[in-house]
């Protein structure tokens, strides 16, 4: 597959993250090794407290590892200054949160335009880009709503629009559907898998095993380490490159579920 | 960064507007401080402008000799008000006057001997009526115009006086008092002239000529056991360019007269116009202290509100950081907000300060001055307050950990 040849975007070697000191010392990440290639859609599963969110925070440069290597695009992250890291967050990484994290006193379009601010885009241009982005998520007519006027699914779509407006190469999603009903979850997941097909790298933390069907690779974590790492056959995501989200997901779901079931039982 | 500045301003505007009452109350502290500063500056500039205008009107070639070495320490003026002039014997003598008037380029020299005492005629003049003993030169040096009658000259009898319009009304009940007789310290004098109303009680002679009585120096000496108690000598030079040389000559001459003692001061131009009223200094000082305290309190108010604002928006800070805001982006967002409070309060204070100054000036004889210096001070002070007290909250906001911030409840 093309993906296998592409260079790794993210490389982790023996990554450790310690919380607390002395008796309270606890490693949320305990020697994590992981290589993520461009264009992968990774679902990270695992019990509570296994370090999924910590991993995501470190990948997103919001947190720093205690020990080990983290190379982003071949560059060791710990050597970068805070300003440079903020630049990377602004230009290469898009965050999607479980609790959406829209700023409540800003309108939908202003929320979506917010990341562009820190990229130095002018006001008019920002609103233009944000408006375009919202339209691709079918929220064009909601631009001047306030976040509290939207349903959960719409709010998360706004959040995804915001994560994408800077055209980041990596999207980090921390339980993006955790606060949504299954119908909205489905819509959100299809949006994500659509992004994946457009070539974005997506790393998603989830508790819901059914959602892993959208991913190209499923990683389960346990006690701060990778427990299992399963590649989902990737042909499904590449063959119907038109715009057939519905069909793809169904096929994917069929093939994936047994594979996953095996993993869990083993 | 250039785009961000505008963005931060919009942001600050939005967030201040969303907590309107809170923002206004916070601004109020700065407003009060700046208002009092503006009032003080406007009024004191007005007061000194009155005197400097007089000096300028006279051609600017006036110098003034006063007893006592000039102090540059403003505190001594506050702690020992009026000691030298009112209670100590003046160090200036008639010999000095003659010596000074002989110096080259000095065209005129007029002594100012101010006496206390009652002035009576049909009715008694107010207690504080200044009785000035001087020479005829005073009229030209101090630009005194006579409404009716004549000013003192060398030929008139020593028993004649010139009085101010207000004094004439006070003791005779009319402005037409030529030829009438009044009693000063039990001695009778005939009025030979009434001065034109001047309406400036603040002047470099420190005498309100509208309610003053002017007699010849000889008569003044007679009322004072034959001793001339000269509080001030006014000097006029033939041109401004010679004034500096004259001042040097006067200093030399008087030091020689006083046996090497520098117990007098020669003032010219700006120095004369510096408000010499000690009470005015005291009031200005106290008000300045109040202004400083209210600015401090206002600043602490800003800091307080900004800390609350930072705490309230912890989650927003986390989100912004996750979306790529640098620490300095966050810091400047909050600094600009506190700056907006400061400047808003400053502009309000400037306006209120002038309203206050014009209100007060209706009870005073001079008007407040509007100039750019006061505007700069008002704006500068509020800017500094806003920035200084916003620094710490902004710094705290910038240092917030994004993960902890995101975990925070909204």
């Amino acid at each position: 597959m093309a993906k296998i040849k592409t260079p790794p975007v993210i490389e982790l070697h023996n990554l450790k993250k310690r919380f607390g000191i002395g008796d309270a010392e606890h490693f949320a990440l305990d020697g994590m090794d992981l290589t993520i290639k461009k264009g992968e859609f990774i679902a990270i599963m695992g019990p509570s407290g296994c370090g999924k969110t910590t991993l995501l925070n470190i990948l997103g440069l919001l947190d720093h590892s205690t020990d080990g290597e983290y190379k982003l695009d071949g560059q060791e992250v710990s050597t970068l200054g805070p300003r440079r890291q903020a630049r990377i967050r602004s230009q290469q990484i898009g965050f999607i949160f479980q609790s959406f994290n829209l700023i409540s006193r800003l309108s939908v379009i202003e929320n979506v335009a917010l990341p562009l601010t820190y990229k130095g885009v002018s006001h008019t241009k920002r609103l233009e880009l944000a408006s375009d982005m919202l339209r691709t998520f079918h929220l064009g007519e909601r631009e001047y709503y306030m976040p509290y006027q939207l349903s959960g699914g719409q709010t998360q779509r706004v959040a995804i629009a915001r994560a994408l407006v800077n055209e980041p190469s990596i999207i980090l999603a921390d339980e993006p559907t955790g606060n949504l009903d299954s119908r909205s979850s489905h819509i959100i997941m299809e949006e994500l898998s659509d992004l994946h097909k457009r070539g974005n790298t997506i790393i998603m933390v989830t508790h819901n095993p059914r959602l892993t069907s959208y991913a190209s690779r499923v990683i389960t974590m346990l006690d701060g380490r990778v427990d299992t790492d399963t590649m989902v056959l990737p042909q499904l995501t590449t063959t119907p490159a038109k715009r057939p989200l519905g069909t793809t997901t169904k096929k994917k779901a069929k093939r994936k579920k047994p594979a996953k079931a095996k993993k869990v039982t083993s | 960064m250039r785009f961000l500045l505008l963005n931060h301003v919009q942001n600050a505007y939005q967030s201040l507007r969303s907590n309107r009452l809170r923002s206004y109350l916070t601004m109020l502290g700065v407003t009060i401080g700046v208002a009092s500063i503006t009032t003080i500056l406007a009024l004191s500039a007005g007061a000194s402008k009155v005197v400097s205008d007089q000096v300028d009107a006279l051609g600017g070639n006036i110098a003034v000799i006063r007893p006592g070495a000039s102090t540059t320490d403003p505190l001594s003026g506050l702690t020992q008000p009026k000691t030298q002039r009112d209670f100590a014997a003046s160090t200036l003598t008639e010999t000095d006057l003659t010596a000074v008037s002989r110096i080259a380029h000095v065209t005129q020299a007029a002594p100012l001997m101010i006496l206390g005492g009652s002035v009576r005629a049909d009715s008694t003049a107010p207690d504080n009526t200044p009785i000035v003993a001087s020479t005829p030169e005073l009229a030209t040096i101090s630009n005194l115009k006579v409404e009716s009658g004549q000013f003192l000259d060398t030929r008139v009898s020593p028993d004649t006086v010139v009085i101010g319009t207000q004094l004439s009304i006070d003791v005779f009940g009319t402005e037409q008092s030529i030829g009438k007789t009044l009693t000063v310290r039990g001695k009778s004098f005939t009025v030979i002239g009434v001065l034109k109303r001047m309406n400036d009680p603040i002047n470099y002679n420190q005498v309100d000529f509208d309610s003053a009585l002017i007699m010849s120096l000889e008569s003044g000496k007679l009322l004072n056991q034959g001793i001339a108690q000269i509080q001030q000598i006014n000097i006029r030079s033939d041109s401004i360019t010679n004034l500096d040389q004259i001042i040097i000559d006067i200093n030399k001459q008087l030091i020689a007269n006083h046996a090497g003692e520098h117990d007098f001061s020669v003032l010219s131009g700006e120095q004369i116009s510096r408000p010499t009223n000690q009470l005015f200094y005291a009031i200005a000082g106290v008000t300045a202290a109040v202004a400083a305290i209210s600015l401090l309190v206002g600043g602490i108010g800003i800091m307080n509100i900004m800390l609350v604002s930072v705490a309230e928006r912890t989650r927003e800070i986390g989100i912004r950081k996750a979306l790529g805001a640098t620490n300095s982006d966050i810091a400047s967002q909050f600094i600009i907000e506190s700056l907006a409070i400061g400047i808003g309060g400053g502009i309000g204070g400037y306006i209120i300060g002038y309203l206050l100054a014009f209100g007060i000036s209706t009870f005073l004889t001079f008007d407040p001055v509007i100039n750019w210096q006061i505007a700069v001070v008002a704006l500068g002070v509020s800017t500094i307050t806003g920035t200084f007290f916003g620094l710490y909250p902004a710094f705290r906001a910038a240092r917030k950990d994004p993960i902890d911030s995101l975990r925070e409840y909204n």
Side-chain angles (χ1 to χ4, degrees):
Chain A
M1 253 342 293
K3 271 176 204 142
I4 294 158
K5 285 169 208 150
T6 52
V9 202
I10 292 171
E11 270 182 284
L12 304 180
H13 289 296
N14 196 26
L15 196 76
K16 289 184 182 176
K17 175 67 184 179
R18 188 189 62 217
F19 287 112
I21 42 166
D23 286 346
E25 194 177 75
H26 158 69
F27 282 91
L29 293 179
D30 195 4
M32 183 98 186
D33 291 299
L34 185 63
T35 305
I36 297 170
K37 295 189 187 69
K38 194 168 160 40
E40 284 189 303
F41 186 165
I42 294 179
I44 299 175
M45 303 264 302
S48 290
C50 68
K52 304 183 297 283
T53 302
T54 306
L55 175 67
L56 215 58
N57 285 338
I58 291 176
L59 290 181
L61 303 180
L62 289 178
D63 206 350
H64 306 282
S65 57
T66 318
D67 197 13
E69 281 177 32
Y70 169 20
K71 282 187 184 164
L72 182 68
D73 283 331
Q75 170 114 46
E76 176 56 47
V77 163
S78 57
T79 61
L80 302 173
R83 185 168 280 275
R84 182 92 184 83
Q85 292 194 358
R87 265 263 293 280
I88 292 175
R89 280 205 296 277
S90 161
Q91 302 187 349
Q92 294 188 34
I93 297 173
F95 278 99
I96 303 168
F97 303 93
Q98 177 179 5
S99 48
F100 321 131
N101 277 339
L102 298 185
I103 294 176
S104 51
R105 64 187 171 81
L106 299 181
S107 67
V108 163
I109 193 165
E110 283 170 324
N111 262 294
V112 174
L114 197 58
L116 294 166
T117 312
Y118 297 112
K119 213 177 167 185
V121 180
S122 75
H123 187 70
T124 339
K125 188 80 181 151
R126 285 208 296 270
L127 293 183
E128 234 169 69
L129 288 171
S131 178
D132 289 348
M133 190 50 76
L134 279 170
R135 233 174 290 128
T136 63
F137 285 92
H138 313 293
L139 288 163
E141 73 282 14
R142 297 274 192 276
E143 282 180 2
Y144 288 96
Y145 279 46
M146 297 307 279
Y148 61 84
Q149 293 171 311
L150 302 176
S151 71
Q154 286 169 337
T155 313
Q156 191 61 298
R157 293 218 305 274
V158 172
I160 295 177
R162 182 180 66 181
L164 292 177
V165 76
N166 267 351
E167 299 176 340
S169 51
I170 303 167
I171 290 160
L172 301 174
D174 192 354
E175 301 200 36
T177 60
N179 282 352
L180 301 177
D181 58 69
S182 63
R183 217 179 98 77
S184 311
S185 302
H186 226 72
I187 296 167
I188 296 300
M189 288 315 296
E190 295 199 348
E191 300 282 13
L192 286 179
S193 84
D194 196 36
L195 291 175
H196 174 221
K197 268 178 254 131
R198 282 191 244 158
N200 286 301
T201 311
I202 301 177
I203 302 166
M204 175 182 79
V205 165
T206 182
H207 270 304
N208 188 345
R210 284 164 59 192
L211 299 182
T212 56
S213 55
Y214 293 92
S216 67
R217 182 178 171 191
V218 180
I219 293 170
T220 57
M221 283 178 68
L222 196 62
D223 298 335
R225 278 174 232 240
V226 175
D227 186 31
T228 63
D229 189 345
T230 322
M231 284 286 182
V232 178
L233 290 178
Q235 72 215 56
L236 302 165
T237 51
T238 43
T239 34
K242 311 272 158 54
R243 44 184 314 280
L245 291 172
T247 49
T248 324
T249 38
K250 267 172 212 155
K251 278 185 207 166
K252 222 205 278 175
K254 269 178 212 155
R255 304 211 174 184
K256 260 262 347 169
K257 262 177 200 161
K260 236 208 58 75
K262 259 183 239 160
K263 282 275 143 24
V264 172
T265 45
S266 61
Chain B
M1 273 313 274
R2 253 175 297 126
F3 298 114
L4 286 190
L5 187 67
L6 191 69
N7 191 61
H8 289 323
V9 172
Q10 288 168 346
N11 228 318
Y13 175 70
Q14 263 175 347
S15 96
L16 291 177
R17 213 182 44 173
S18 62
N19 287 308
R20 212 171 288 184
L21 182 64
R22 193 167 88 180
S23 311
Y24 283 137
L25 287 178
T26 316
M27 279 183 196
L28 197 61
V30 182
T31 304
I32 293 171
V34 172
S36 25
I37 287 179
T38 309
T39 311
I40 299 167
L41 290 180
L43 288 180
S44 62
S48 55
K49 189 170 179 292
V50 170
V51 184
S52 63
D53 281 355
Q54 289 165 1
V55 176
D56 288 348
L58 299 172
N61 52 355
I62 303 284
V64 164
I65 308 171
R66 288 190 184 142
S70 62
T71 61
T72 47
D73 180 13
L75 262 185
S76 74
L78 278 178
T79 49
Q80 322 172 301
K82 300 195 170 186
T83 44
Q84 293 167 341
R85 224 194 66 186
D86 282 8
F87 309 121
S90 171
T91 52
L92 297 177
T93 62
E94 260 182 295
T95 331
D96 294 334
L97 177 63
T98 24
V100 164
S101 53
R102 274 195 216 118
I103 289 171
H105 301 300
V106 172
T107 50
Q108 285 170 321
L112 220 58
M113 172 176 172
I114 298 161
L115 299 148
S118 60
V119 177
R120 278 198 199 88
D122 300 347
S123 55
T124 311
D127 284 344
N128 54 355
T129 301
I131 301 164
V132 180
S134 186
T135 55
E137 283 87 359
L138 183 68
T140 38
I141 292 186
S142 293
N143 203 20
L144 302 177
K145 298 269 167 29
V146 177
E147 177 78 45
S148 57
Q150 64 158 118
F151 200 75
L152 302 170
D153 62 34
T154 44
R155 289 164 300 167
V156 298
S157 148
D159 293 340
T160 54
V161 291
V162 175
I163 61 176
T165 328
Q166 190 56 46
L167 182 63
S168 172
I169 293 169
D170 284 345
V171 295
F172 299 111
T174 169
E175 293 180 18
Q176 311 299 326
S177 52
I178 308 283
K180 293 190 176 173
T181 316
L182 45 70
T183 325
V184 179
R185 285 190 170 188
K187 197 172 180 302
S188 292
F189 290 90
T190 308
V191 177
I192 56 162
V194 178
L195 295 175
K196 209 177 240 178
R197 192 176 275 278
M198 295 171 47
N199 271 332
D200 44 41
I202 296 169
N203 54 52
Y204 64 90
N205 291 317
Q206 300 175 42
V207 171
D208 181 4
F209 283 108
D210 286 345
S211 58
L213 180 145
I214 303 167
M215 61 174 66
S216 67
L217 191 59
E218 285 66 37
S219 315
K221 275 157 64 180
L222 279 178
L223 289 179
N224 195 36
Q225 288 95 41
I227 303 160
Q229 259 285 6
I230 299 173
Q231 269 93 4
Q232 179 168 311
I233 301 173
N234 295 345
I235 289 158
R236 181 181 205 132
S237 74
D238 52 4
S239 75
I240 301 178
T241 43
N242 292 329
L243 196 59
D244 289 339
Q245 184 56 44
I246 288 176
I247 290 168
I248 294 167
D249 291 343
I250 291 172
N251 271 310
K252 272 188 209 155
Q253 182 65 49
L254 290 192
I255 287 175
N257 281 8
H258 293 196
E261 210 51 61
H262 190 86
D263 51 5
F264 60 91
S265 41
V266 186
L267 310 173
S268 65
E270 278 291 296
Q271 294 166 312
I272 304 176
S273 53
R274 197 176 294 157
T276 42
N277 189 335
Q278 307 286 8
L279 189 65
F280 188 84
Y281 266 145
I283 293 171
V286 170
T287 326
V290 170
I293 290 169
S294 64
L295 267 180
L296 183 72
V297 173
I300 292 171
I302 290 184
M303 191 189 263
N304 205 350
I305 285 303
M306 288 314 293
L307 285 174
V308 170
S309 180
V310 168
E312 267 179 359
R313 279 188 276 163
T314 304
R315 197 185 176 93
E316 180 183 327
I317 294 167
I319 296 170
R320 284 178 186 271
K321 281 196 167 180
L323 297 181
T326 59
N327 286 359
S328 53
D329 287 336
I330 302 289
S332 42
Q333 181 190 336
F334 283 96
I335 288 251
I336 284 173
E337 205 171 310
S338 69
L339 195 62
I341 295 178
I343 292 179
I347 292 172
Y350 182 71
I351 294 167
I352 292 174
Y354 265 111
L355 293 181
L356 219 61
F358 278 105
I360 292 173
S361 74
T362 57
F363 303 105
L364 301 174
T365 50
F366 53 90
D367 291 327
V369 171
I370 297 179
N371 61 17
W372 63 268
Q373 286 99 331
I374 295 175
V376 166
V377 168
L379 213 64
V381 161
S382 52
T383 308
I384 290 168
T385 313
T387 319
F388 181 75
F389 289 97
L391 273 179
Y392 174 67
F395 183 68
R396 251 174 80 135
R399 291 288 300 271
K400 284 221 183 275
D401 181 55
I403 296 168
D404 290 343
S405 309
L406 283 172
R407 228 175 267 146
E408 194 99 347
Y409 280 101
N410 226 343

